[in-house]
Amino acid sequence: MDPARFVTLVATIPAMSVACRPSATPTRDEAVDVLVVAPHPDDEVLIAGGVLERARAQRQRVAVVVVTNGDFTCERNGHARQDETIAALASLGVAEDDVIFLGYPDGWLVDLGDAPLPPLARTMPDGSCVKTGGTYAHRGAHRRDEHSVRTGSPAPYTADALAEDLAAVLERTRPRDVYTTHPIDTHPDHAATYEYLRRALDRTDVAPPRIHRAIVHAGPCWPDGRTRERPCPPVVPDLHAPWMPLPEPFGAYAPRELVPVVGPDAKLRAIGAYRSQFGDDPAHDWLLAFARAEEAFYPEVLLDDASHPRRRVRAPLADVPRASAPLTCDGGRELAITPYVVTLDPDGARVVITRAGAVVREWATPLDARCATHDWEARVDRRTDDGVTEITLWRDGRFFGVAIDP
């Protein structure tokens, strides 16, 4: 794409944020057709800008949840990024009242545990940098964060608060389809967002939605190229380009859904709203690599697990190997489910899945949960067409995470 054309498209954003399509906005507590759950401001557009634009064109009910404010240290302004989200989504026809900011801290989702995180540095509305805690928002539905709207006060930075906030949104919106980030996304917040979505679903009685998982981070320079060189080469936006296959070792892991983007210019314009995220060469920035002719998703269907009330598992249920055991730091550190082994490391800081000694996936455990005794359960689901395996973990009956083995 001609860089001058990109600049022209971005320049239209303020007008589009005011003059969006006529709304088919649902009232609160009304079911939505499409719910997008994004880790940071901008991810909702990167993974599903085309889906949102199409849904609004078809007058479907949509809602967007943004888990963090993208405010990692005071170098990132969470208030400014919320403003960018509202402008980007307005350009796609999504009303501000259909945007829900949870307000959890950027870069810290994997560290959430039972005890609140200590105060973290963030930029205040007046531009000052202070250390503080608790969820916040000044844009979106009711112009406050979800927890404050629901309870009257911000949430502490805990795992339980985040899961409960997401569960409340799910119960209120009862979505048919949910679009979110994939657990193999290499950004920890992205993988954690999927995991918290699954934990939230297990806390609700809503019918399990169809989940469409998308990948934003899969190694250096992807999706514009499969090169591992640093720095990445300048992006040349191509609105007619197909989706880029994943780099190795996930080359065989092909998306089951390639959704055409009806208005690639609209998605490019929405990406351009995130001016704070562009580098020194905005017309060739990495973010523009997501303005393509299609969006890629790895869908999954969840079913209620009859053996565990209020727990959802991936379909189909037949012939799925299972194993369970307590894992502690004092002994019993391994859970075997052939050919995989789940291991708790000696200080309880990490849970690791290995196959033949090679690490498939590892997770950090929250500081306040290390070396406690937990009952772990693992399940193995294998895709017969491409040989990719998903290993699902639960801890004390609650969803913990997913590993993908190519």
Side-chain angles (χ1 to χ4, degrees):
M1 167 178 280
D2 181 354
R5 184 182 173 201
F6 169 69
V7 172
T8 300
L9 282 170
V10 172
T12 68
I13 291 169
M16 287 295 296
S17 67
V18 174
C20 57
R21 293 186 184 88
S23 177
T25 303
T27 60
R28 293 178 72 81
D29 302 322
E30 187 173 355
V32 303
D33 301 294
V34 172
L35 175 68
V36 178
V37 180
H40 310 103
D42 75 6
D43 290 317
E44 78 292 339
V45 170
L46 298 183
I47 68 174
V51 167
L52 287 167
E53 202 266 346
R54 180 195 296 267
R56 293 299 297 118
Q58 297 174 352
R59 300 187 66 81
Q60 292 182 340
R61 297 183 175 91
V62 305
V64 175
V65 175
V66 185
V67 177
T68 81
N69 287 323
D71 54 359
F72 188 70
T73 75
C74 288
E75 294 181 4
R76 304 277 180 119
N77 187 324
H79 299 281
R81 296 195 70 178
Q82 288 180 17
D83 293 338
E84 290 173 338
T85 293
I86 298 307
L89 290 173
S91 76
L92 298 174
V94 179
E96 180 166 358
D97 286 343
D98 293 326
V99 183
I100 302 162
F101 291 103
L102 301 189
Y104 287 86
D106 179 14
W108 291 88
L109 296 188
V110 296
D111 294 297
L112 298 179
D114 294 333
L117 293 179
L120 302 173
R122 73 176 187 228
T123 302
M124 304 303 286
D126 63 3
S128 62
C129 179
V130 303
K131 285 191 173 183
T132 185
T135 53
Y136 70 98
H138 78 289
R139 300 300 301 266
H142 297 282
R143 312 307 183 260
R144 290 189 295 168
D145 65 276
E146 165 66 22
H147 201 84
S148 293
V149 170
R150 196 162 51 83
T151 70
S153 61
Y157 293 154
T158 67
D160 192 64
L162 173 49
E164 281 298 321
D165 283 349
L166 263 179
V169 173
L170 291 167
E171 289 175 340
R172 191 166 66 242
T173 59
R174 311 187 79 82
R176 183 192 65 199
D177 289 272
V178 175
Y179 294 80
T180 192
T181 43
H182 199 293
I184 67 167
D185 193 299
T186 57
H187 192 303
D189 280 349
H190 287 221
T193 292
Y194 170 84
E195 289 157 2
Y196 273 101
L197 172 66
R198 290 289 304 271
R199 295 172 198 175
L201 280 169
D202 286 351
R203 293 170 179 242
T204 74
D205 293 320
V206 302
R210 183 174 174 87
I211 299 178
H212 310 257
R213 304 171 295 177
I215 297 171
V216 177
H217 299 276
C221 306
W222 187 89
D224 190 53
R226 301 174 78 175
T227 176
R228 291 186 177 272
E229 67 178 275
R230 287 285 197 171
C232 298
V235 169
V236 179
D238 184 355
L239 303 185
H240 303 288
W243 197 248
M244 177 66 69
L246 292 174
E248 296 302 329
F250 294 106
Y253 190 38
R256 297 290 181 85
E257 288 181 336
L258 290 173
V259 181
V261 177
V262 177
D265 276 2
K267 179 166 181 174
L268 184 65
R269 182 171 51 244
I271 293 172
Y274 287 98
R275 292 168 180 166
S276 70
Q277 301 310 296
F278 282 82
D280 295 333
D281 185 7
H284 299 94
D285 194 87
W286 170 78
L287 292 179
L288 304 181
F290 290 85
R292 293 172 175 261
E294 55 193 10
E295 293 172 332
F297 301 100
Y298 298 79
E300 65 179 354
V301 175
L302 302 181
L303 301 174
D304 291 318
D305 185 349
S307 64
H308 292 270
R310 294 173 71 93
R311 193 177 77 173
R312 278 60 189 277
V313 294
R314 295 178 66 244
L317 295 177
D319 302 321
V320 177
R322 295 187 185 188
S324 60
L327 299 184
T328 71
C329 291
D330 299 326
R333 294 197 185 100
E334 290 190 352
L335 167 62
I337 181 167
T338 306
Y340 302 99
V341 176
V342 183
T343 306
L344 186 69
D345 71 7
D347 61 0
R350 306 192 75 80
V351 177
V352 184
I353 296 180
T354 58
R355 176 172 55 83
V359 174
V360 176
R361 175 80 191 271
E362 56 183 327
W363 293 267
T365 56
L367 285 170
D368 52 16
R370 294 178 182 177
C371 288
T373 300
H374 295 286
D375 290 313
W376 294 81
E377 180 181 340
R379 293 169 50 97
V380 174
D381 302 303
R382 187 173 180 83
R383 299 205 319 184
T384 57
D385 54 350
D386 57 15
V388 173
T389 299
E390 292 202 10
I391 308 99
T392 311
L393 283 182
W394 280 268
R395 186 178 71 175
D396 298 332
R398 290 191 172 185
F399 182 88
F400 184 80
V402 168
I404 307 294
D405 185 16

